[in-house]
Amino acid sequence: MVEVEMQATAMVLGGGGGLGDVLESEEEREARVSQMFAVLDQRQAGYLDHEQIEAGLAAMSFPGRRKYALELLDVCDSNRDGRIDLSDFRRYVDAKERELYVLFQSIDVSRDGVIEAEEMRIALSSSGIQVGDAELAAFVQHVDQDKNGIITFSEWRDFLWVYPHEVTLANIYQYWEKTYLVDIGEGAVIPEGIGSHHTLRYLVAGAVAGALSRTATAPLDRLKVLLQVQTSGAGVVAGLWHIYKESGFMGFFRGNGINILKVAPESAIKFYSYEIMKRVVVGDGQDGEIGTWGRLFAGGMAGAIAQTAIYPMDLVKTRLQCYSGPGRPPMLLQLSRDIMVQEGPRALYRGLIPSLLGMVPYAGIDLAAYDTLKNLSRQYLAKDTEPGPLVHLACGTVSGAVGATCVYPLQLIRTRLQAQPLNAVDRYKGMGDVFKRTLEHEGVRGFYKGLLPNLLKVVPAASITYLVYEDMKIRLSI
């Protein structure tokens, strides 16, 4: 290992034979490091602080800018004065490139000076990361700047020179993978770069996780809907007793069947809509980065498309959950037919507008809260370590709860519009009428009826979805 590191020092600093694209004179290397420093030193101040580093990373369209700016400052700032001068930066680059070269050599088993896709697959597998053809191709293509199918050391180095953490292949791949995720609301995260090779398996894993999660939290969902449509005062305990008294234990699961049925089509539409919107953002045939806000826009639009497509199923579910007529509630097909015949096709989309209005704000708040919480969590972790699965789950749970609380009034308005039949007494005229009457008769607190059971289901729903999804990925070899 010492011999390899000595060779790496010689190679990276320009002294010794080996990889042609690594060799550079001392003057060439100094010019390259100075240029790297200048990229971050946007104000040409001669030093870097976290704001300058963040601005430089922004100019490079680098994801997670603030997080990596603070971490890069912490690694490079040897005298702890909050600034990085050129000598500090040079020491960091020297050490980082030595680490990168040692890892590069360990992956390049054929010793031909380049990393091929199959060598990357073997190395990832040895690190405990199993990837499919599409995921591997996406990773290699991202690092491969000239798109010739192989990775040279200069491409490897240029891809990772601002990565401040310990250089291991597992860390590097997880860093790349985490910067290409998007959350679009109640559905699960959409991984970037999923090709046709594994799309069906991801959809199956997501559908099974979603079905089990929704079944486990169905009583809380039924209680939430019941409280949302109540214009008079009603508490959680009274709501639970009403459901049990009216329909027994199975009453807590009314509407869950259609809730499960819509998981697969909703996930499929989200996946494919996201891929289409991603091409719209980047430009068809282009190979640029979509960026955080691009992912947010594409994810929000994909969620809106999926929500619009499956919305009639959501409305029928709400009607089933709110049914209070004599005898047993109608069968799913009969209820759908009755709505179509008696109220017309437009009735199936009643409440869609407030549902769509809440989608993008939810995604934005969720994403911002998630990133903030994840960055805060690093203050309590060992240096140069990334948050683990449980931290990600906790951050996602809290951020989802914050996002859901912020847009909850729109969800309540949607449910009230969904629940009322055409012949309802004192029928709402539209979204504005629901808002006005709720505020007049129930006050601001009226917009948050059912919030408690909604928040109570966030933790078990997120936990079950996460655990089942990860288990299904293992079972399906993805």
Side-chain angles (χ1 to χ4, degrees), residues 88-106:
D88 287 332
F89 186 72
R90 188 184 295 110
R91 281 192 294 271
Y92 163 77
V93 172
D94 288 348
K96 180 61 60 178
E97 291 187 1
R98 289 189 191 100
E99 293 179 36
L100 291 172
Y101 186 77
V102 170
L103 180 59
F104 185 91
Q105 278 197 313
S106 70

Side-chain angles (χ1 to χ4, degrees), residues 70-197:
L70 292 171
E71 291 173 347
L72 192 61
L73 179 65
D74 183 62
V75 171
C76 297
D77 183 17
S78 56
N79 60 0
R80 299 302 180 210
D81 62 353
R83 294 182 175 184
I84 304 171
D85 58 26
L86 183 57
S87 60
D88 287 332
F89 186 72
R90 188 184 295 110
R91 281 192 294 271
Y92 163 77
V93 172
D94 288 348
K96 180 61 60 178
E97 291 187 1
R98 289 189 191 100
E99 293 179 36
L100 291 172
Y101 186 77
V102 170
L103 180 59
F104 185 91
Q105 278 197 313
S106 70
I107 301 172
D108 177 26
V109 292
S110 62
R111 296 292 184 266
D112 57 358
V114 296
I115 296 175
E116 298 178 358
E118 192 56 33
E119 289 177 319
M120 183 64 75
R121 184 198 300 278
I122 293 170
L124 286 168
S125 179
S126 298
S127 300
I129 301 173
Q130 303 297 326
V131 296
D133 293 342
E135 292 85 349
L136 178 66
F139 179 51
V140 171
Q141 186 181 37
H142 187 87
V143 183
D144 177 21
Q145 296 172 10
D146 58 11
K147 310 306 178 190
N148 63 352
I150 56 176
I151 299 172
T152 63
F153 177 72
S154 61
E155 291 171 331
W156 182 250
R157 175 195 67 201
D158 293 345
F159 170 58
L160 292 162
W161 69 270
V162 291
Y163 181 67
H165 300 296
E166 181 186 1
V167 175
T168 67
L169 189 55
N171 280 353
I172 290 168
Y173 185 80
Q174 287 165 9
Y175 144 76
W176 173 79
E177 196 174 41
K178 287 170 187 173
T179 57
Y180 290 88
L181 297 175
V182 61
D183 189 340
I184 55 178
E186 292 185 0
V189 165
I190 295 182
E192 173 85 9
I194 294 177
S196 58
H197 183 74

Side-chain angles (χ1 to χ4, degrees), residues 394-450:
C395 293
T397 299
V398 175
S399 66
V402 172
T405 302
C406 291
V407 301
Y408 191 80
L410 287 169
Q411 191 181 110
L412 179 134
I413 292 172
R414 177 199 67 181
T415 302
R416 291 191 171 185
L417 288 171
Q418 285 179 332
Q420 63 171 9
L422 185 66
N423 58 356
V425 179
D426 203 18
R427 188 169 173 270
Y428 293 115
K429 297 175 182 177
M431 182 174 71
D433 190 35
V434 179
F435 180 86
K436 179 183 176 183
R437 287 160 60 177
T438 302
L439 187 61
E440 285 179 353
H441 301 298
E442 303 168 60
V444 175
R445 291 184 62 183
F447 291 105
Y448 292 91
K449 285 185 175 179

Side-chain angles (χ1 to χ4, degrees), residues 226-234 416 428 438 441-442 449:
L226 179 69
L227 294 177
Q228 283 179 329
V229 298
Q230 294 293 324
T231 56
S232 58
R416 291 191 171 185
Y428 293 115
T438 302
H441 301 298
E442 303 168 60
K449 285 185 175 179

Side-chain angles (χ1 to χ4, degrees), residues 217-237:
T217 58
L220 290 170
D221 187 62
R222 174 84 202 280
L223 176 62
K224 177 198 74 173
V225 172
L226 179 69
L227 294 177
Q228 283 179 329
V229 298
Q230 294 293 324
T231 56
S232 58
V236 171
V237 176

